[in-house]
Amino acid sequence: MKFILTLSLITVALGIDPVRFDRDKVFRVKPQDEKQASIIKDLAKTNELDFWYPDATHHVAANMTVDFRVSEKEYQSVQSALDENKMHYKILVHDLQEEIEKQFDVDDISGRHSYAKYNNWDKIVAWTEKMVNKHPEMVSRIKIGSTVEDNPLYVLKIGKDGRRKAIFMDCGIHAREWISPAFCQWFVYQATKSYGKNKIMTKLLDRMNFYILPVFNVDGYIWSWTQNRMWRKNRSKNKNSSCIGTDLNRNFDVSWKSSPSSNNPCSDIYRGPAPESEKETKAVTDFIRRHLKSIKAYITFHSYSQMLLFPYGYTTKLPCNQEDLNKVAKIGTDVISTRYETHYIYGPIASTIYPTSGSSLDWAYDLGLKHTFAFELRDRGKFGFLLPESLIKPTCKETMLAVKFIAKYILKHTS
């Protein structure tokens, strides 16, 4: 209730009504052959389908699980088409607006920042300041740039000065993936809290630095709180188009032009007018380039689908240290399952999830960071992007185990 009230106050001030999703449905379809895959692609041409998994129509293939949202207005025609073609499907979500409101299932009377709840941008900014004040000897806040709407991009540096090795971690490159920034906040909290108490974390922080970007896509994240919970891109204006935003994870200078389907500004996977055209992308790439001597690994957090991925996305060619990455990912997923028996799969992006171009992971790898990983956090589609707050802590606790393992591996096996 508190969220809805805050939301309404903000939108009254803006003079814009937030998008509602009353009786919107989320379908899960499994096309049995290429003919059925084509039917889904044709449906997307005549209906507004918001693809949740995969993230765009052209990735749809036979025997793939496909999740998409359809509006109340269009769902009957979509359902009829699926029935007529004898396609296997189920409805994951019957009323999306209800699920959005049910996401906030943890009570918090204080109204302050909470690790058990999703926090809006204002709370996250205040939290970054609080962490610096609470742990001045270990945490510092670096402004690496600003967004198109002039919001600051903050990196928290955790560790003792003078360490040679570092890991860069970012969360929230896609606005609607709220569990991702929640994990980055959890990591900072647990790392600082357990220093001097937990043997592994103490060793890591004594010997290396962590650079944490808690929200990569700040403008988009704010928009997903105030205007459209399902928003994915940033909020930059596009020349000669009324459609707003670029998919920041298609904007990196790596095989940027290889996917012609991402050159439409109205697409959710629009790559932008040029590589690194977006202020957020440029701020991150400049920061990583400046610290290339010390940064040994890059880890990015997304949702959903429970996967641990490594390069490449833009080619089926395997990276030169594929065996090493495969070993780390296998142990990482095994470690995740020790806590709550959560099952993750792992492998190269292109063959494990779907091909991508212009991604941060491939860019970092080709820049020279030979240990780069992407987590696709919980769940596998029951809640999708609307993971309830009651599942934040379990998700963060199991992910933390894998991140600590990867960091320990980096410390030991990189020069």
Side-chain angles (χ1 to χ4, degrees), residues 225-329:
W225 273 84
T226 58
Q227 294 296 314
N228 182 342
R229 177 62 188 87
M230 290 296 109
W231 190 258
R232 171 185 167 97
K233 301 188 282 184
N234 75 349
R235 294 292 303 164
S236 60
K237 290 182 173 66
N238 292 311
K239 203 176 174 186
N240 303 323
S241 173
S242 60
C243 294
I244 299 287
T246 288
D247 180 347
L248 296 174
N249 206 36
R250 298 290 184 281
N251 190 237
F252 285 78
D253 193 4
V254 59
S255 192
W256 178 79
K257 259 190 176 168
S258 70
S259 176
S261 55
S262 63
N263 65 358
N264 172 11
C266 298
S267 163
D268 257 356
I269 58 163
Y270 176 53
R271 66 191 178 206
E276 295 185 22
S277 59
E278 305 310 292
K279 292 181 77 176
E280 299 91 338
T281 319
K282 191 81 176 78
V284 169
T285 54
D286 283 353
F287 182 85
I288 291 175
R289 286 189 194 105
R290 279 199 309 273
H291 295 83
L292 204 51
K293 274 188 179 172
S294 65
I295 295 175
K296 303 296 175 188
Y298 170 80
I299 310 175
T300 181
F301 297 86
H302 297 249
S303 74
Y304 61 97
S305 60
Q306 294 175 194
M307 295 178 180
L308 182 47
L309 305 167
F310 51 82
Y312 283 108
Y314 69 84
T315 175
T316 51
K317 186 186 85 175
L318 295 172
C320 58
N321 61 336
Q322 187 264 341
E323 283 183 19
D324 191 28
L325 295 174
N326 204 60
K327 180 175 81 172
V328 175

Side-chain angles (χ1 to χ4, degrees), residues 162-232:
R163 302 296 160 220
R164 286 192 310 278
K165 293 182 182 181
I167 294 177
F168 187 93
M169 289 164 43
D170 66 51
C171 291
I173 198 166
H174 292 137
R176 62 188 177 185
E177 299 169 9
W178 285 8
I179 187 60
S180 166
F183 174 73
C184 268
Q185 293 160 69
W186 178 266
F187 179 87
V188 173
Y189 166 63
Q190 285 296 326
T192 51
K193 183 182 134 182
S194 59
Y195 180 75
K197 297 170 191 159
N198 176 281
K199 196 176 168 185
I200 296 170
M201 192 50 82
T202 304
K203 184 179 178 180
L204 290 173
L205 292 174
D206 275 344
R207 299 191 185 179
M208 66 196 314
N209 290 319
F210 290 87
Y211 294 112
I212 318 286
L213 178 62
V215 184
F216 194 128
N217 179 6
V218 176
D219 297 345
Y221 186 70
I222 293 169
W223 197 254
S224 73
W225 273 84
T226 58
Q227 294 296 314
N228 182 342
R229 177 62 188 87
M230 290 296 109
W231 190 258
R232 171 185 167 97

Side-chain angles (χ1 to χ4, degrees), residues 132 135-136 138-142 155-158 161:
V132 174
H135 306 280
M138 190 174 291
V139 182
S140 55
R141 188 174 77 172
I142 307 160
V155 161
L156 290 181
K157 177 187 172 190
I158 316 173
D161 282 336

